[in-house]
Amino acid sequence: MPDNASMGGLLDNISGSALLASVLWGGIGSGFLVYGWKQKATIPLAVGLALVGVSYCMLNSALWMSVVSVAILAGFIWAKKQGY
């Protein structure tokens, strides 16, 4: 039976802060995704997909994941103020 420590995987090099940030932004994105799906609203659905995608793809740095996620949320707030 192979040793688990020798098996390479996606989460081998992820830090605890990046994992926590991924759970946080993925959870917020999932909320937007469900809301956009149920309300048939395109903007929250797209924001949810973007946040979930960022939390899935940017596992190297919690800081950059958070910066990109906050930028996505700022774009959402701007779009809502513009009337979209």
Side-chain angles (χ1 to χ4, degrees):
M1 187 150 199
D3 184 21
N4 286 339
S6 66
M7 296 178 69
L10 178 65
L11 298 177
D12 284 347
N13 296 326
I14 189 170
S15 67
S17 59
L19 184 62
L20 181 63
S22 180
V23 169
L24 174 71
W25 295 117
I28 292 170
S30 297
F32 271 97
L33 192 66
V34 169
Y35 176 79
W37 185 268
K38 297 265 184 186
Q39 298 295 322
K40 305 290 189 238
T42 308
I43 300 290
L45 184 68
V47 169
L49 284 172
L51 286 173
V52 169
V54 164
S55 69
Y56 181 74
C57 293
M58 297 186 73
L59 291 176
N60 294 335
S61 172
L63 175 65
W64 284 111
M65 184 188 315
S66 296
V67 167
V68 171
S69 297
V70 168
I72 291 169
L73 289 176
F76 170 72
I77 293 169
W78 178 83
K80 280 304 204 183
K81 286 186 179 181
Q82 297 299 319
Y84 291 109

